[in-house]
Amino acid sequence: MLEPTAAAALPTDVDAVAVPVHDDLRAPDGAGPAPGPELLRRCGFEGKPGQAVILPGEDGRALVAVGVGAPGGFDAGSARAAGAALAGQCSHLRSVATTVLAAGPSAGGGAAPGLASALVEGALLAAYRYPGARRKPPVHDLEHLVVVGADQAELARGTVSARATSRARDWVNEPAGSMNPTRLAQVATELGAASGFAVEVWDEQRIAAERLGGILGVSAGSATPPRLVRLAYEPAGAVATVALVGKGITFDSGGLSLKPHEGMLTMKGDMGGAAAVLASVAAAAELGLPVRALGFLALAENMPSGSATRLGDVLIARNGTSIEVLNTDAEGRLVLADALSLAVEERPDAIVDVATLTGAKVIALGNDVTGVMGTSPDLVARVLAAGRAAGEPAWELPLVQEYRAQLDSEVADLRNVGTGRAAGSIMAGLFLREFVSDVPWAHLDIAGCEMAERSEGWLTKGGTGWAARTLVELLRAW
Ligand code: BES
Ligand code: MN
Ligand code: ZN
């Protein structure tokens, strides 16, 4: 993986030098030699964050102009975009040194906090490639990024959070035929040993013995068994306990309420929430954050078969709530019902769940914004702020109490779907709320965010690793 290092001054032994250029086509003080404004204009370069051009420089090195926007406007978002643009222009080079941080405000001699880490995140994430099973896997040659004026600890922080995102991308990208519940649980076990957090895996028998009826009901039609994974990063002197809960449907066919072909194509990504939770707990451990982070991964495959849950069947969740299943494609909330119940039993200070939960969220907010609901305004505010800082925007949706009656059932405590198609994301949120008791709770609906149709900026085509950095930032800022 691309490795960032800090330096006090521009080194000479690099393939390229990347300098910041504002939207007036001038370089800030201390940025070093930049291409002239006339040349940049002819290249179509306007100095916007996310733009970069590569030109011949002196001494056989390439010179990269990196857009940093209006003077005085350089923030974490523009730093992330600048890092991504830089990595995009330099994919064929081995080493680049950059003075981009000269565009930002400085604090006590060094760059302001958050800028260097965001720059590194952008570069590392734009350079992400999934090798897959191709004979010629795609490569990104850039190996060394020297950041002038950066604090090494800031670079390390950016590297850890980019690695969290990259890991989540890998797990989403891996085909569902191999990335099944057993395999994802195994990945968690290995990562726990490597990064320093505890991992407990419950197999199907244990899941039955513990009465996780939602997970059993969803996996009933699948030939591959479910898993419930509990993660625990428990530093001494922790200031709070935060429980993270992830939807881990390793493939969502819809079950007997089978999805149409088009809707099923991206459903290997339906474990994106569990991927984000696993990656962020690992990052919390790697960063040594002073927060106790618990993780619950509800892992199952949703398939149709002779043993599948039928429409009208009733499942009993861990907390005793009975659920009438009227649509087997609303399976995420069934597995989350059990995982949320388990999280509540540990009496954490907060529960945050992450799930690719509803197509309705994609209709409401699109593929680049997380939908947030919750019972605690303070917790929701923390999540929205973390998403903003991480460059993963989030927007709150209301838990409309008037709609709750739609979940009333004639034969059970709850139906798993509302009576129509209206407010689908909110109906799912209202359903989940039944399982969080009085623990402050926030729900992140990341449907559509987990996979990108094309590469753009720091996002690469395929798995995005969405919400991993939001969670890391949430824990870091706690
Ligand atoms: N995994 C899907 C939601 C989804 C849709 C994720 C698009 C990513 C992209 C979820 O399990 C689902 O199928 N939800 C149903 C719920 C409905 C049956 C109430 C949906 O949104 O159609
Ligand atoms: Mn579904
Ligand atoms: Zn699903």
Side-chain angles (χ1 to χ4, degrees), residues 252 259 329 331:
D252 182 10
K259 285 183 182 295
D329 198 13
E331 85 298 338

Side-chain angles (χ1 to χ4, degrees), residues 247 249 251-254 259 267 270-271 302 328-333 356-358:
K247 168 178 173 181
I249 300 299
F251 188 71
D252 182 10
S253 72
K259 285 183 182 295
M267 283 301 141
D270 212 20
M271 33 58 77
N302 188 23
T328 61
D329 198 13
E331 85 298 338
R333 63 198 75 181
T356 47
L357 207 61
T358 64

